[in-house]
Each structure stands twice: as C-alpha cells, then as structure tokens.
Amino acid sequence: MRSIARNSLINIFCTATDLFFSMITTAYVARVLLADGVGKVSYVQSIIVYFVTLAEFGISGYGIREIAKVRSRQNDISQMVAELFTINFITTTCSLIGYLSMIGCFAEGSTEIPLFLVCGISIFSNYFNVEWVYRGLEDYLYIAVKRLTVKLLFLFVIYACVQTENDHVKYALIAGLSGVVICVLDFCRLHRYVKMKFSKIMLSGHLKSLMILAVSNMLTNGYSRINITMLGSLSTEKATGYYTYAYTLVHMVMIISTSFTQVLFPRLSYFYVHDRRKFYELFDQAVKAIVFIVFPASAGIFILAPQIITVFLGSSFQPAVKTLRWLSVLIIIQGLADLWYQIVLSTGNERRRVWALGAAVIGNIMLARVFIPIWEDSGAALSFILSELGLNSYLICSMSHQFQFKIPWKEFKEALISTTVMAMAVSRIVKLNLTLFMLCVIAAVCGVMIYGGLNVLMKNETMKFLIDKRHFGGRKVGKHG
C-alpha cells in the first residue's frame, strides 16, 4: 500500500490547486455574469444535481469501498469494475431520459431551455465516470495530474469565451464539457488496472447497498442544494446568487480543510475488515487533524468576510457578507461530519444515515420556508446550519453504542486557545490602511504563523506530525498501511 502521509500530501496539493483555480474562476465569473447570471446557472444546476445523483446511483462511494477490500486480487477488481460499470450505464441512461422528459414537460416556454440542455451534459459524462477505481486503488498522483491539467484548460477557455453577462449558457457549457473530459480520460486509462469482461457479471449482489447509498446521496445533494432551489422560488435571483457564491467560498475552504483526511476512506474500509486496532488508531489521528484545521479556518473566514467578498467576487456581492459569516460555521460542522460519514460508510452503516438525512431534509425545508421570506439568503444559511447540527448530532449519538471513540478534549482546548489568540491578532490587522488584497494576504500569513507557533509551544500532536518530514518521505508502509 502507498503511504497515507504521501497520499494526503498529494491530495492536499490537488485540493489546493483546485481551490486556486476555483477562486480565480469564481472571481472572474462573478464579475462578468453578476448575481443575476450566477443565480440562473445555480438554479438550473440545483435541479440537475438530482439527476446526476440518480445516474451515479451511489457507485462512487460503494466502488471505492469494495475496490479497497479486494485491491490485492486482480481478477476480483476486474469483475467488480465490469459489474458496477454495467449498473452505471443503466442508471445513467434512465436518468438522462428522465431529465429530457422533464425539460419537455415542465420547461416548455421557458427562455432558459438552452441552459437546461447544456447543463444536462453533466448527466451524460457519468457514462464514463470511473474515478472511484483510482481512488479505491489510491492512485492519487494520477488524479492530481489529471485535474490540474483539465483545470488549466478550463480556466483558459472560460477567460476566452465568457465575456459578457449574457454568456451564462457558455459558462454552463464549458463547465459541463470539463466534466466530460475528466471522465473520458479516466475511462481511457482504465485498461492499466482492469480487463473488463461482461460474460459472467452478477448485478444483484450490489443492488441492496447501492440503493441505500443512492437514496443517501440523493438526500445529501438535495439537502445541500434545496436552499438554492427554494431561494429561486421564494426569493430573487440576486439572493440566490449571493447564497450560491457565499456557499462556494465556504465550500472551497471546507475542501482544503478536509483534504488531509479525504484519502482515508479506502484505508479505513480495509482496516475495518482486516485490522480493527489500526482502524481506531487512524480515526483518532484523523479527528485530531480535523480539529487542528477547521477552527482557525472558520474564524479566519468570519473575520475577513468583507475583504474576501470584495477581493474575490467584487463590490456588487457585498450584501453576501452576512451570509458568508453565517456559513463559516459550517467549516467546523461539516469538517467533522465529513470524517464521520467515512466512518459510517466504511463500517457498513449507510442505512442509518438515510433516515437521518430524510429527517434533515424535511427539517431544512420547513425552516427555509420560514426563514427565507424574512432574511432571504441569510435565512437559507441559518436553516442549513440548524439542520446540519441536528443531522450530525443524531448520527454521533446513534453510532456511539456501536463505535468506540474518544473525544480529543486536549486538542479541542488547544485549538480554541490558539484560534482565539489568532482571531484577536487578525482583527487588529484588518484595521490597517492597506489594499484589500494585501490585507488578506498579510492577515492570512500572520494568522497561520501565530496559530502554528502557539501549537508548537503547546506541543500539539498534529503540529509535531506536520513538522516531522519523515512522514512525507514517500516510504512504503507495512502489510496494513
């Protein structure tokens, strides 16, 4: 097996480049399309996500877990890929037919038919979606190189083609085609790992778990996107645009904050079956790492919200500052929740999450119907935060009887102390008479130095791990990782 630290380092690099390109793209598109254009694309994409989820049918998470379990048996890997690819072809076809039927029935007469059609490319690209194979086999270097190359191409095309506020359809088309390119590259390279044979495939053994995961993913995507859909129905396109890009900024930070632990799912799945002691050790280390990262990240976004909005989105998005500050809390909540979801899935408890998600979706809708008419985009943020707290509190309590875990109180205390000191220093820095960009850079650098220095003094375990270069030497691990 590849080194976990090496995989994490590659994934952090990959995530950082994704974040860099996303920030540049977001800043450019926000200034060109403005809140109205962004709101139109976001509204259609909030509908498309349900059909993409139906097409994907839970195969990504399930495939990573099952490939990780049989990674040492070539024939079993090939058989698994052939069977899941067949199921993926069927579900994608059904989803595509359903989406085109929806356009024909419900979007007739709409001026945004071209936008609906080009967004449908995301469903088509799922025919070739096999990235779960590479993640299950922990081939993160290839994933990083592929995504960096496509992002560069995507950025160049966006700058060349999206130049006026009426180019929102072009933007959606380019975004959809970038997904197609990524999936086709994965599919064309698949022969290096598997030799698919469709003569003796057995699909029934996968369907029960896949249906549970498909429902879970549908609820997850609906749960995270329902506020955008409801904003589009209950409020204005501008409010939809404010919420969408405020959430986009927070989501970028969440991705980079959890990139260190996102590579753990295949290893957790393997250890849960083969070495339960190492499973608990890995989880314990991951919780400490997440706690170390998410608290300062959330505080930084909250304090620098006005400057971040202006630098990346432009002054026209200043009304989104309050929403961004509300959503900054999600960095902590979802950072821990993302790791917990890996535990739920790797231990085969996905059914439990389905019921919790169903309740969270209903609760979010009820809260959004109350809050959105009053506070618009800020109301959508508040309803999402409250439902997310309820969802994860239930999951932790329901799993505590089966899953033995320790709360890292020491790491929580160290994170709170160092984050408080950092926040006080950054709050003073933002009052300096500097350009907005330089203010953000200096505040970020000083914040990282203060936070890191304090944790060195407190001998924080994660900080000591990061300083020890031996962990990132690319050395091979033993039999179990």
Side-chain angles (χ1 to χ4, degrees):
M1 293 186 187
R2 295 173 170 89
S3 163
I4 292 178
R6 176 179 178 273
N7 287 344
S8 296
L9 192 62
I10 293 172
N11 197 54
I12 289 170
F13 169 77
C14 182
T15 305
T17 54
D18 275 356
L19 177 62
F20 174 74
F21 287 121
S22 295
M23 286 192 298
I24 295 176
T25 304
T26 298
Y28 178 75
V29 170
R31 284 169 168 78
V32 175
L33 299 184
L34 304 178
D36 287 337
V38 170
K40 290 176 183 178
V41 177
S42 300
Y43 179 68
V44 176
Q45 287 178 338
S46 72
I47 297 172
I48 264 291
V49 73
Y50 303 113
F51 292 92
V52 172
T53 305
L54 176 61
E56 195 267 338
F57 204 63
I59 290 173
S60 290
Y62 179 80
I64 293 171
R65 184 180 72 187
E66 298 304 309
I67 290 293
K69 290 179 181 178
V70 300
R71 61 193 307 160
S72 59
R73 303 193 294 272
Q74 182 66 40
N75 290 335
D76 289 349
I77 293 175
S78 297
Q79 183 74 13
M80 182 73 64
V81 173
E83 292 170 354
L84 294 183
F85 181 80
T86 302
I87 295 173
N88 183 76
F89 182 86
I90 296 170
T91 55
T92 302
T93 301
C94 293
S95 179
L96 198 56
I97 292 171
Y99 181 68
L100 293 174
S101 300
M102 185 213 70
I103 295 177
C105 293
F106 300 106
E108 185 177 356
S110 172
T111 58
E112 297 298 339
I113 291 291
L115 181 58
F116 275 92
L117 290 174
V118 299
C119 285
I121 293 174
S122 299
I123 305 173
F124 174 78
S125 66
N126 195 67
Y127 277 118
F128 308 98
N129 182 13
V130 290
E131 187 174 289
W132 46 271
V133 178
Y134 301 99
R135 290 191 177 275
L137 296 172
E138 300 186 30
D139 191 357
Y140 292 103
L141 181 59
Y142 159 70
I143 294 172
V145 173
K146 171 198 68 177
R147 288 169 67 173
L148 176 60
T149 304
V150 175
K151 288 286 184 180
L152 279 169
L153 178 63
F154 172 67
L155 183 63
F156 173 77
V157 177
I158 285 289
Y159 273 95
C161 299
V162 180
Q163 298 181 343
T164 71
E165 59 184 291
N166 296 320
D167 286 340
H168 58 284
V169 176
K170 288 183 182 180
Y171 169 65
L173 175 62
I174 296 166
L177 290 176
S178 68
V180 174
V181 171
I182 287 175
C183 291
V184 170
L185 287 173
D186 287 343
F187 186 77
C188 291
R189 189 176 181 268
L190 195 60
H191 66 89
R192 298 190 180 190
Y193 290 111
V194 300
K195 295 180 180 179
M196 286 193 290
K197 295 181 181 179
F198 298 94
S199 56
K200 297 181 180 180
I201 59 174
M202 297 289 292
L203 307 183
S204 58
H206 305 293
L207 293 180
K208 182 178 179 180
S209 294
L210 283 174
M211 288 182 69
I212 294 172
L213 284 171
V215 173
S216 177
N217 289 345
M218 182 69 74
L219 289 171
T220 299
N221 287 322
Y223 169 57
S224 61
R225 289 275 183 172
I226 193 68
N227 286 335
I228 297 176
T229 306
M230 294 186 71
L231 272 169
S233 302
L234 300 176
S235 188
T236 63
E237 290 177 342
K238 283 188 176 181
T240 306
Y242 295 149
Y243 177 87
T244 299
Y245 266 18
Y247 182 79
T248 298
L249 290 172
V250 168
H251 188 62
M252 289 179 190
V253 179
M254 285 192 291
I255 290 173
I256 195 70
S257 298
T258 58
S259 59
F260 187 80
T261 58
Q262 285 172 352
V263 302
L264 299 182
F265 177 48
R267 200 67 61 94
L268 286 167
S269 300
Y270 180 87
F271 283 156
Y272 189 74
V273 174
H274 299 284
D275 193 330
R276 199 64 61 87
R277 181 181 62 82
K278 285 187 175 292
F279 172 84
Y280 282 111
E281 288 178 356
L282 185 57
F283 174 74
D284 183 59
Q285 293 169 0
V287 172
K288 293 175 181 178
I290 285 291
V291 169
F292 177 79
I293 295 170
V294 295
F295 280 92
S298 178
I301 293 296
F302 184 89
I303 295 169
L304 296 172
Q307 292 79 16
I308 291 171
I309 288 287
T310 303
V311 169
F312 291 108
L313 304 181
S315 57
S316 65
F317 276 80
Q318 271 298 305
V321 168
K322 185 185 294 184
T323 302
L324 180 59
R325 281 180 162 161
W326 274 111
L327 291 173
S328 65
V329 181
L330 286 176
I331 298 172
I332 297 174
I333 300 172
Q334 291 195 337
L336 293 167
D338 179 74
L339 178 60
W340 194 255
Y341 175 58
Q342 294 185 51
I343 296 299
V344 171
L345 189 55
S346 61
T347 57
N349 282 282
E350 52 267 19
R351 184 192 296 271
R352 189 171 295 179
R353 190 169 185 264
V354 170
W355 295 108
L357 275 169
V361 170
I362 295 171
N364 191 21
I365 291 173
M366 294 174 64
L367 290 170
R369 288 191 65 85
V370 174
F371 294 154
I372 288 177
I374 302 173
W375 296 305
E376 296 186 314
D377 45 306
S378 294
L382 180 58
S383 66
F384 189 43
I385 290 168
L386 292 175
S387 56
E388 185 75 6
L389 278 172
L391 165 65
N392 292 292
S393 297
Y394 166 78
L395 282 177
I396 291 173
C397 291
S398 64
M399 288 279 289
S400 61
H401 301 292
Q402 174 188 342
F403 179 63
Q404 300 174 358
F405 64 95
K406 299 177 182 178
I407 300 176
W409 294 113
K410 177 177 177 292
E411 283 70 21
F412 271 109
K413 183 181 72 174
E414 291 171 349
L416 287 173
I417 292 172
S418 50
T419 298
T420 302
V421 176
M422 181 206 75
M424 293 171 62
V426 172
S427 297
R428 289 184 174 275
I429 292 173
V430 296
K431 297 177 181 179
L432 298 177
N433 187 22
L434 299 169
T435 63
L436 286 175
F437 180 76
M438 285 302 299
L439 195 64
C440 288
V441 172
I442 292 173
V445 171
C446 291
V448 169
M449 291 177 64
I450 293 169
Y451 186 79
L454 286 171
N455 278 280
V456 169
L457 293 174
M458 291 186 290
K459 298 181 180 179
N460 179 271
E461 187 176 323
T462 302
M463 194 69 196
K464 288 192 292 185
F465 179 88
L466 294 173
I467 294 173
D468 190 348
K469 297 180 180 179
R470 291 176 300 171
H471 294 295
F472 303 96
R475 57 186 174 86
K476 300 292 181 182
V477 293
K479 179 181 178 182
H480 296 301

